[in-house]
Amino acid sequence: MFFGAQDMTDKSIVILISGRGSNMEAIVRANVPGARVAAVISNRADAAGLAFAAAHGIATVVVDHTAYPSRAAFDAALQAAIDAHAPDLVVLAGFMRVLGDDFVRHYAGRLLNIHPSLLPSFPGLHTHRRALAAGVRAHGATVHFVTPELDGGPIVVQAVVPVLPGDDEDTLADRVLAEEHKIYPQAVRWFVAGRLTPTADGRVEVADARAERFALHLPPLD
Ligand code: GRF
């Protein structure tokens, strides 16, 4: 092809990370049809995921939050770095900064996050520890659109895992993470295929019955 292997009509995805980047890696490895990961941006220069992205020929950018005098200044710099890649979709994948309302509104309808709990339970930090302390039997992860309310936007897909006797924070986190790596690429595939439809009452529908069934991912019990 004249422009090389990359179809220039592909949707552009920018992924934001702060650390390990295993969800970013799962999305890159999924090779979502009709999309390309244009850039991986981190607020930390030492984010381990940057090396994976660079090794896969993806542009990497660091926007160090400590270099900006205010959250608004950081958000503006981050927005400029993202928009340089004209993204159709921005994916937060373990991005550990709270983003301001203006930033969130700028990407309304094209900003996804993954949160390691069954929202609306356990928004915020230390979700696995809090799930264990609460004694819940089911835990999991949620992919949702981002709105100004922290971990509060419309839910796209959830995965449920059991909390097993003897679990600690690490074993539970590992079980949830394995499911995150399935549902995040799935959500991105649906977005790119145009299957996610907002409803008038602020939810999201997955636009066909078969897909909607998989919007709840239930792994079999051992
Ligand atoms: C994941 O558990 C994600 O749900 C949470 O932060 C963790 C990031 O892990 N938001 P990774 O950087 O994708 O490996």
Side-chain angles (χ1 to χ4, degrees):
M1 189 197 290
F2 183 67
F3 288 111
Q6 193 66 64
D7 179 347
M8 299 309 276
T9 65
D10 278 354
K11 291 215 175 357
S12 168
I13 300 175
V14 171
I15 306 181
L16 271 53
I17 65 171
S18 292
R20 179 177 56 185
S22 69
N23 278 290
M24 174 272 298
E25 192 173 327
I27 291 166
V28 170
R29 288 191 192 282
N31 270 320
V32 174
R36 70 196 164 87
V37 178
V40 172
I41 300 178
S42 173
N43 63 307
R44 297 179 54 115
D46 62 355
L50 290 172
F52 172 88
H56 284 72
I58 299 168
T60 59
V61 183
V62 174
V63 183
D64 178 356
H65 61 278
T66 66
Y68 296 87
S70 66
R71 191 162 85 186
F74 169 68
D75 281 5
L78 184 61
Q79 188 173 312
I82 294 169
D83 287 350
H85 299 276
D88 298 285
L89 174 64
V90 178
V91 171
L92 305 180
F95 186 69
M96 299 304 286
R97 305 300 299 172
V98 173
L99 296 161
D101 290 4
D102 289 345
F103 180 98
V104 169
R105 281 197 202 95
H106 177 71
Y107 297 106
R110 56 183 174 128
L111 183 58
L112 288 174
N113 182 45
I114 191 159
H115 182 75
S117 79
L118 291 173
L119 290 171
S121 291
F122 311 122
L125 296 174
H126 308 303
T127 56
H128 308 306
R129 189 188 312 168
R130 288 158 62 207
L132 288 168
V136 296
R137 306 301 192 189
H139 187 44
T142 303
V143 177
H144 63 95
F145 280 99
V146 178
T147 61
E149 187 192 345
L150 185 68
D151 299 324
I155 291 170
V156 174
V157 54
Q158 294 186 303
V160 179
V161 304
V163 180
L164 297 177
D167 266 343
D168 60 24
E169 237 177 301
D170 292 338
T171 58
L172 188 54
D174 286 350
R175 192 173 307 120
V176 171
L177 191 66
E179 299 306 311
E180 293 184 37
H181 295 163
K182 297 173 193 162
I183 63 172
Y184 218 174
Q186 180 66 78
V188 171
R189 274 193 288 271
W190 285 337
F191 181 93
V192 169
R195 284 189 178 181
L196 300 180
T197 313
T199 66
D201 57 357
R203 294 175 299 108
V204 162
E205 277 172 6
V206 186
D208 78 48
R210 188 178 136 77
E212 185 67 75
R213 194 157 63 82
F214 286 102
L216 174 62
H217 187 79
L218 286 168
L221 290 174
D222 304 329

